Amino acid sequence: MPCVDITRTVSFSAAHRMHSPALSAEENRAVFGKCNNPNGHGHNYRVQVTVRGEIDPVTGMVLNLTVLKDCMQRGIMDVMDHRNLDLDVPYFQGKVSTAEVIAVFIWEQMQAYLPKSDNYALYEVRLHETDNNTITYRGN
């Protein structure tokens, strides 16, 4: 059967602060600029999760999109939407919550929530932090 990619998109709003405990206050301000605001700042993120696999000859689908929708709800929206990532999501404790780290977190969440299958696999997480800044992660 043909191999195809299916992608679903969700949007969430979250706050964070770009701050590394390994740097001094002055170094953090120099590296992260206004994103090091002590009170944090927010983004309206857009995430695209892509699954790649073979079309099932019985269902005509790689993966039922309602399954992917549910996995994204539980793994992304329920955890990150309207949250302060640094304070409300344990994964980010001790990490700098850059878009790169957020994309890896979302990948790990999707790996945990997607049903295991020999016919498809998580292929890509694409995180749009702004209209101009996009991070793409495809696993290790």
Side-chain angles (χ1 to χ4, degrees), residues 2-8 49-55 61-63 68 107 114 117-125 138:
C3 184
V4 299
D5 295 346
I6 61 169
T7 302
R8 181 162 176 86
V49 174
T50 301
V51 173
R52 174 174 281 178
E54 294 183 10
I55 298 172
M61 297 182 282
V62 171
L63 170 67
L68 182 56
W107 175 278
L114 277 171
S117 173
D118 292 332
N119 296 326
Y120 64 80
L122 181 60
Y123 174 70
E124 178 179 274
V125 167
R138 294 188 180 125

Side-chain angles (χ1 to χ4, degrees), residues 18 91 96-105 127 129 135 137:
M18 305 285 282
Y91 179 90
V96 183
S97 54
T98 62
E100 294 92 323
V101 174
I102 295 168
V104 171
F105 172 71
L127 178 69
E129 183 180 55
I135 286 36
Y137 183 64

Side-chain angles (χ1 to χ4, degrees), residues 33-92:
K34 66 181 181 179
C35 296
N36 184 246
N37 179 342
N39 295 317
H41 66 282
H43 294 282
N44 294 314
Y45 294 95
R46 190 163 50 96
V47 182
Q48 297 169 295
V49 174
T50 301
V51 173
R52 174 174 281 178
E54 294 183 10
I55 298 172
D56 183 296
V58 176
T59 65
M61 297 182 282
V62 171
L63 170 67
N64 190 320
L65 282 170
T66 60
V67 172
L68 182 56
K69 175 184 175 183
D70 181 60
C71 293
M72 292 174 76
Q73 179 65 43
R74 292 183 293 136
I76 300 170
M77 301 302 291
D78 292 350
V79 178
M80 302 176 82
D81 192 30
H82 289 87
R83 301 285 196 281
N84 182 312
L85 300 179
D86 303 317
L87 302 177
D88 299 330
V89 183
Y91 179 90
F92 295 101

